[in-house]
Amino acid sequence: MVKTRSQRIKRMSAVDAIDVRSRVSVKSIRYCKKISKYLAELQLAESRKNPSFIVCHTMETTMKLYSMDARSFRHSLLNTVDPSQRSHDESMYMISTYNGIICCVNTICDEDVENKFCDLQIWICNPCTRETLLLSQGRPSFGIEPSVGVAYGSDISDYRIFRIYCVRKEIPKEKVTAKGYYFREGQVVYALAYECEVYSSSNGSWKNIGYVPCVPMRSGLRPYITGHIFVGGTIYWLVSLDEPGEILSVDLEGRFEVINLPEHSDGLKGEDKITEATHLLIFQGSLALLVLHLGEMDIWVWKDEGEKYSWDLVLTIDTPIRDEELVLSVTSLKNKLVCVNETHWRIYDVETKIWRKRRGPRTGFVNPAVFPFTESILPCNGGVGQVEGNSKSI
């Protein structure tokens, strides 16, 4: 049977697409107005075969992003992000990445607004295509910067930003109790509470989903309250390291839950339990805690046991990390654990049980951010196959 021209084109698009995508540079597509979802999925599948890390050594007004090879740990400059819409002289900080899209934040400086209200600019960027998208502002947060977490849906272009912020409501004085948070302004008393709103790439707007049971903790290791991980359809933030310790979680449907940290026997010393050097981690596809002790590192994994979950101590590793070293950031990729201190990289191979040490930049690390990374051609607005909206080139 003789095939028609349309049949030949259809067959070519399905069979030869891999060859086509292998010859198309990600950066060469940066000026495209439309991106086929099929092409984006093919390109992403190819890139996932060779994942790397994306690194920002120092938080600066101009954010320099580096690609780091997952085998040799060699660096190369990926791109520089300095969008014109960024709040003046405020430094950008990378907080999440997935499918080649990164999320960054910076504070907003407005001299006309009193310091009682704080806010963040939230950016979605694709460093490979040089595209940036500034999200619309959420509701004002009273007295404290919002906490931010990023979730990703089953569709490759779907992402959601969860933003926890502080609200105040005027209440009668007689309703003030020993519990709760309050603020007095003259003769007026305000009750303080925390609510959450969600930005969805599918509609480009914020939606309030109500109150939250507790709020993420501020860490001296990060400039903002943005330390979180996303795994298994859920965002996790550390809330408290004081016994029993807590983690706040929220799923894609906006359901919040509070999880206690691992329990320890009463006979253990404080330094052998949860320490201040505790980090959230994705380890072998699960929520995990990396807890640093003097000369040792514990890896706890949150495991599903049918009707309930529990913490399981899966690894105790002897470490060359000295007590005076301050581990600023941790991440993982496949069988490698990566720790960043002020001057060096510490890399542990779970299979070979070997530590490697690599010198960092000459200037050292200042508020570093490092995440697993896969190059992609996905647009920042999530609209695969649609014309770009208010996004701009870096």
Side-chain angles (χ1 to χ4, degrees), residues 176-388:
V176 175
T177 63
K179 295 182 179 181
Y181 302 95
Y182 301 97
F183 173 81
R184 184 183 295 273
E185 195 172 72
Q187 297 300 314
V188 182
V189 177
Y190 297 94
L192 303 183
Y194 292 91
E195 297 183 359
C196 183
E197 58 184 358
V198 181
Y199 178 95
S200 174
S201 62
S202 62
N203 55 36
S205 62
W206 293 97
K207 177 183 177 182
N208 185 283
I209 60 172
Y211 291 99
V212 296
C214 55
V215 293
M217 64 180 282
R218 176 178 288 278
S219 169
L221 302 178
R222 297 181 182 85
Y224 304 110
I225 314 174
T226 54
H228 72 283
I229 64 168
F230 173 77
V231 61
T234 304
I235 297 175
Y236 299 92
W237 295 270
L238 277 172
V239 171
S240 173
L241 297 177
D242 297 331
E243 284 192 86
E246 291 179 336
I247 291 173
L248 176 67
S249 71
V250 62
D251 63 17
L252 292 171
E253 303 303 318
R255 294 183 290 255
F256 284 93
E257 184 180 351
V258 178
I259 303 169
N260 286 336
L261 297 186
E263 295 183 359
H264 294 81
S265 61
D266 295 335
L268 282 179
K269 297 180 181 179
E271 59 267 26
D272 295 326
K273 300 180 181 180
I274 297 298
T275 69
E276 292 184 0
T278 296
H279 302 261
L280 290 176
L281 184 73
I282 300 175
F283 182 70
Q284 298 178 349
S286 298
L287 165 66
L289 282 177
L290 185 152
V291 185
L292 285 166
H293 306 283
L294 181 59
E296 284 187 344
M297 172 192 296
D298 290 338
I299 304 292
W300 294 83
V301 173
W302 187 239
K303 290 196 172 182
D304 184 357
E305 295 183 342
E307 296 183 357
K308 65 177 183 178
Y309 286 81
S310 65
W311 289 105
D312 186 14
L313 180 60
V314 296
L315 283 176
T316 295
I317 305 165
D318 291 333
T319 79
I321 300 174
R322 300 185 303 272
D323 189 38
E324 62 270 22
E325 288 186 40
L326 179 62
V327 175
L328 303 173
S329 182
V330 302
T331 191
S332 66
L333 179 60
K334 295 183 178 179
N335 63 326
K336 291 184 174 64
L337 300 173
V338 179
C339 300
V340 185
N341 64 26
E342 294 172 298
T343 57
H344 287 80
W345 299 88
R346 299 277 195 180
I347 305 109
Y348 180 74
D349 190 308
V350 176
E351 292 183 354
T352 64
K353 301 181 180 180
I354 294 175
W355 281 95
R356 298 166 65 187
K357 184 179 180 181
R358 292 289 183 270
R359 182 176 295 279
R362 294 181 180 178
T363 55
F365 294 102
V366 180
N367 293 320
V370 53
F371 298 98
F373 183 69
T374 303
E375 292 188 351
S376 83
I377 57 176
L378 292 175
C380 292
N381 63 3
V384 173
Q386 301 174 3
V387 178
E388 296 174 2

Side-chain angles (χ1 to χ4, degrees), residues 46-261:
E46 188 73 10
S47 293
R48 282 174 177 161
K49 296 177 181 178
N50 188 31
S52 59
F53 293 98
I54 188 168
V55 182
C56 182
H57 297 150
T58 302
M59 192 178 75
E60 299 176 297
T61 51
T62 299
M63 187 170 66
K64 294 182 179 180
L65 297 173
Y66 294 84
S67 175
M68 184 171 73
D69 186 86
R71 296 187 182 91
S72 66
F73 290 89
R74 293 178 180 173
H75 289 58
S76 61
L77 182 63
L78 180 62
N79 229 317
T80 300
V81 180
D82 186 19
S84 59
Q85 296 169 285
R86 176 176 49 81
S87 183
H88 182 63
D89 289 336
E90 293 298 322
S91 299
M92 298 181 71
Y93 182 65
M94 180 170 55
I95 66 171
S96 174
T97 178
Y98 191 77
N99 283 348
I101 299 295
I102 67 173
C103 181
C104 308
V105 299
N106 62 265
T107 53
I108 293 178
C109 289
D110 190 342
E111 297 178 356
D112 297 329
V113 178
E114 295 184 15
N115 197 35
K116 293 174 184 175
F117 288 92
C118 311
D119 215 335
L120 298 174
Q121 284 185 317
I122 304 176
W123 298 85
I124 303 297
C125 310
N126 186 325
C128 293
T129 63
R130 300 177 60 86
E131 183 191 2
T132 64
L133 174 67
L134 174 62
L135 303 190
S136 59
Q137 290 302 130
R139 294 171 176 82
S141 183
F142 182 80
I144 188 171
E145 291 172 355
S147 305
V148 179
V150 189
Y152 304 90
S154 56
D155 190 285
I156 61 169
S157 59
D158 178 33
Y159 60 82
R160 302 172 203 183
I161 313 293
F162 286 75
R163 179 179 175 273
I164 298 173
Y165 61 101
C166 184
V167 296
R168 66 174 187 174
K169 295 182 180 180
E170 184 177 345
I171 62 170
K173 294 181 181 179
E174 58 270 18
K175 290 194 175 182
V176 175
T177 63
K179 295 182 179 181
Y181 302 95
Y182 301 97
F183 173 81
R184 184 183 295 273
E185 195 172 72
Q187 297 300 314
V188 182
V189 177
Y190 297 94
L192 303 183
Y194 292 91
E195 297 183 359
C196 183
E197 58 184 358
V198 181
Y199 178 95
S200 174
S201 62
S202 62
N203 55 36
S205 62
W206 293 97
K207 177 183 177 182
N208 185 283
I209 60 172
Y211 291 99
V212 296
C214 55
V215 293
M217 64 180 282
R218 176 178 288 278
S219 169
L221 302 178
R222 297 181 182 85
Y224 304 110
I225 314 174
T226 54
H228 72 283
I229 64 168
F230 173 77
V231 61
T234 304
I235 297 175
Y236 299 92
W237 295 270
L238 277 172
V239 171
S240 173
L241 297 177
D242 297 331
E243 284 192 86
E246 291 179 336
I247 291 173
L248 176 67
S249 71
V250 62
D251 63 17
L252 292 171
E253 303 303 318
R255 294 183 290 255
F256 284 93
E257 184 180 351
V258 178
I259 303 169
N260 286 336
L261 297 186

